Amino acid sequence: MTESAVLLWSCPDQPGIVARVTTHLFEHGGNILRAEETMSVADNQFFLRIHFSSPGRTIDLEEFTAGFASLAEELGGEWSVRPMDRSQRLVILASRDPHCTIDLIGRWRVGDIPAEIVAVVSNHEDTRDIAEGFGIPFHHLPVTPDTKADQEAELDRLLEELGTDLVVLARYMQILSEGFVEKWRGKVINIHHSFLPAFPGARPYHQAMERGVKLIGATAHYATADLDDGPIIGQGVASTSFRDSVEDFIRRGRENESQVLAAAVRAHLEHRVIVAGRRTIVFG
């Protein structure tokens, strides 16, 4: 049961999609609070997001969704219905650099992240005080090349135990295995310090300065087996100047990363993202 819910729908474009979907909602007592739609001309795909309620009563999601499976099969589409009033359980993965972790916890503390942060997990101790200072459990899972498989298995067990809905890689500097990201597909968001992986490694802003770049960027995306190549949720940029030092690059980069990651996390938690192959449709 829920007070309101969001329907995400995608299928090949054809006449009557909105009419048929909204008729089903109407026939089951649904009231549309907000509807957004778009289509991709290039591949003839239609995308729909409907936020709906049921005036005077709570929503039985099984009742509302009973007819969607057959309708989606007929239209050749994919869909999901998710409650809006259930607090999702979010786990932050961090390493040494704490800026994204601090930003997410701060936004969560003032109510800007619509989820429950149930744990911070790190391969280092650097973010322990930050997490525990806000009453968030901290789990230290150290890792070496020889223990990587065992550490990841322990991480997977912990996420299961916590009932995790979303994993946020807040500058977590470990490469996750193909098996791990496949199991948690669509539930792991990463932040990358560029538009594309143009400057790999541990010193990206030093490389950017050496190349004389005029814009530095950040990309938030779903994690896949291909490093920094998952479906992009959001991006942001910051201008640079020849007067800037490396420290200026790093400071602007951190601010950019934090903002882009937080926006992507909110979009996911508010059920505004449809993954369509290697890209995403993000509703406003």
Side-chain angles (χ1 to χ4, degrees):
M1 296 291 187
T2 183
E3 296 293 329
S4 69
V6 165
L7 166 69
L8 294 175
W9 188 282
S10 62
C11 68
D13 189 43
Q14 55 202 281
I17 299 170
V18 174
R20 298 186 66 180
V21 172
T22 56
T23 295
H24 178 82
L25 285 171
F26 171 74
E27 290 174 345
H28 290 79
N31 178 53
I32 295 174
L33 303 176
R34 183 174 182 178
E36 302 167 88
E37 62 186 79
T38 189
M39 74 161 292
S40 170
V41 176
D43 53 8
N44 196 48
Q45 288 293 305
F46 177 84
F47 305 97
L48 175 67
R49 179 185 187 269
I50 297 179
H51 182 197
F52 66 95
S53 66
S54 184
R57 65 187 182 97
T58 55
I59 298 170
D60 185 330
L61 290 183
E62 290 188 8
E63 176 186 335
F64 267 84
T65 60
F68 282 142
S70 59
L71 183 57
E73 183 176 355
E74 185 179 340
L75 296 175
E78 297 181 358
W79 60 278
S80 65
V81 176
R82 299 168 184 172
M84 284 294 284
D85 57 357
R86 184 182 74 83
S87 181
Q88 297 180 69
R89 298 174 66 80
L90 185 156
V91 173
I92 296 174
L93 267 59
S95 288
R96 290 191 182 279
D97 205 337
H99 61 281
C100 287
T101 299
I102 293 171
D103 183 78
L104 286 170
I105 292 176
R107 293 175 190 268
W108 164 77
R109 182 65 177 80
V110 299
D112 287 345
I113 297 294
E116 179 184 0
I117 299 180
V118 296
V120 172
V121 182
S122 179
N123 54 319
H124 296 284
E125 291 277 2
D126 300 62
T127 51
R128 178 184 290 277
D129 290 346
I130 297 166
E132 293 182 345
F134 282 90
I136 300 170
F138 179 86
H139 300 268
H140 181 214
L141 298 183
V143 61
T144 68
D146 293 335
T147 63
K148 186 169 180 60
D150 291 339
Q151 189 257 15
E152 193 174 88
E154 176 63 15
L155 172 61
D156 180 68
R157 183 201 63 77
L158 178 61
L159 294 177
E160 290 278 11
E161 182 180 284
L162 293 170
T164 305
D165 295 303
L166 179 65
V167 180
V168 180
L169 307 183
R171 301 293 285 145
Y172 181 63
M173 305 304 289
Q174 292 293 314
I175 297 175
L176 299 171
S177 71
E178 182 175 356
F180 182 94
V181 295
E182 182 61 34
K183 175 179 177 179
W184 295 91
R185 177 176 289 274
K187 297 180 179 180
V188 181
I189 295 178
N190 189 25
I191 186 69
H192 183 70
H193 46 63
S194 180
F195 296 127
L196 298 171
F199 303 113
R203 293 164 61 86
Y205 294 112
H206 292 74
Q207 298 177 62
M209 184 175 179
E210 290 167 3
R211 289 288 301 276
V213 301
K214 303 303 184 280
L215 290 173
I216 52 176
T219 299
H221 59 91
Y222 288 111
T224 64
D226 296 322
L227 183 64
D228 299 325
D229 194 40
I232 293 170
I233 307 169
Q235 295 180 293
V237 297
S239 298
T240 66
S241 164
F242 67 90
R243 298 181 181 86
D244 290 338
S245 65
V246 169
E247 289 72 25
D248 293 325
F249 271 58
I250 293 172
R251 173 177 53 79
R252 290 200 183 103
R254 286 173 173 166
E255 292 170 353
N256 203 21
E257 290 167 9
S258 297
Q259 292 169 4
V260 171
L261 180 59
V265 168
R266 280 189 61 88
H268 177 93
L269 293 171
E270 293 172 351
H271 311 307
R272 293 190 281 112
V273 184
I274 296 178
V275 178
R278 297 186 63 186
R279 59 179 177 151
T280 63
I281 308 300
V282 183
F283 292 98

